[in-house]
């Protein structure tokens, strides 16, 4: 009986170690993917040049190359869509449902820059929700215009509204290929 208990304990320990090791591998993979995304998608849009002289934009949305004659070629339709965003326009984000109501934002892009962010829908389930939305929306708008991305802090006391706002904003940015 003691041998059976010892074997069971050893197997349980091995199982726990295996699960912990797998979790560590997953965390390491996630960190390397995040690091690669952070260095590959810089907001400045600066390109890199490899040893053959080929320039790459570093952005997943537009992977253009420049040949020795100085002409640029785009791979796939992403380059054309990225050029459309540079031209400008308005882009609606997804409608995000929260427990306090729906949130949707729209961005206006001109020359590749976010020039305006408009809240098309804000949480309105109750009076307090409307107050929170009215408080958070201008703060989020100014932060987004300053950062030129959805990578901004949520507004304290308006976490649900902020998260929904930024989710809808990211969908609009994706639609604009920014």
């Amino acid at each position: 009986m003691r041998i059976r208990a010892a074997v069971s304990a050893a197997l349980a320990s091995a199982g726990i170690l295996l699960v912990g090791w797998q979790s560590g591998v997953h965390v390491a993979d996630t960190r390397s993917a995040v690091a690669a995304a952070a260095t590959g998608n810089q907001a400045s849009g600066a390109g890199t040049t490899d040893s053959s002289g080929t320039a790459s934009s570093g952005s997943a949305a537009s992977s253009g190359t420049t040949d020795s004659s100085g002409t640029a070629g785009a791979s796939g339709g992403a380059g054309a869509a990225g050029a459309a965003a540079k031209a400008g326009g308005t882009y609606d984000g997804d409608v995000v449902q929260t427990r306090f109501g729906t949130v949707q934002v729209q961005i206006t892009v001109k020359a590749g820059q976010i020039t305006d962010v408009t809240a098309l829908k804000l949480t309105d389930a109750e009076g307090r929700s409307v107050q929170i939305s009215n408080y958070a929306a201008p703060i989020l708008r100014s932060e987004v215009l300053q950062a030129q991305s959805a990578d901004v802090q949520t507004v304290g006391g308006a976490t649900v509204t902020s998260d929904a706002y930024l989710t809808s904003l990211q969908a609009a940015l994706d639609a604009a290929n920014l």
Side-chain angles (χ1 to χ4, degrees):
M1 196 65 166
R2 284 186 171 176
I3 294 173
R4 181 185 249 173
V7 169
S8 295
L11 288 175
S13 295
I16 290 171
L17 287 173
L18 181 62
V19 168
W21 176 74
Q22 288 293 333
S23 296
V25 169
H26 174 69
V27 169
D29 289 344
T30 304
R31 285 185 184 152
S32 63
V34 168
T39 58
N41 294 330
Q42 296 175 353
S44 65
T48 58
T49 304
D50 63 12
S51 60
S52 66
T54 303
S56 65
S57 68
S59 170
S62 60
S63 56
T65 59
T66 306
D67 60 16
S68 60
S69 65
T71 60
S75 62
K86 301 292 184 199
T90 58
Y91 301 90
D92 291 352
D94 292 342
V95 176
V96 179
Q97 184 66 43
T98 72
R99 65 180 181 243
F100 303 112
T102 58
V103 176
Q104 184 181 24
V105 299
Q106 179 184 64
I107 61 170
T108 303
V109 177
K110 187 172 186 179
Q113 297 290 318
I114 303 169
T115 58
D116 193 23
V117 181
T118 306
L120 299 177
K121 297 179 185 178
L122 287 173
T123 57
D124 60 356
E126 56 190 50
R128 179 71 178 134
S129 179
V130 172
Q131 289 176 337
I132 291 171
S133 293
N134 289 339
Y135 166 73
I139 295 170
L140 289 166
R141 179 184 181 276
S142 66
E143 291 292 322
V144 167
L145 289 174
Q146 182 178 358
Q148 290 292 303
S149 75
D151 188 24
V152 298
Q153 294 287 326
T154 59
V155 176
T159 305
V160 173
T161 300
S162 297
D163 286 342
Y165 186 100
L166 296 174
T167 300
S168 182
L169 174 71
Q170 186 60 55
L173 291 171
D174 291 345
N177 290 311
L178 292 177

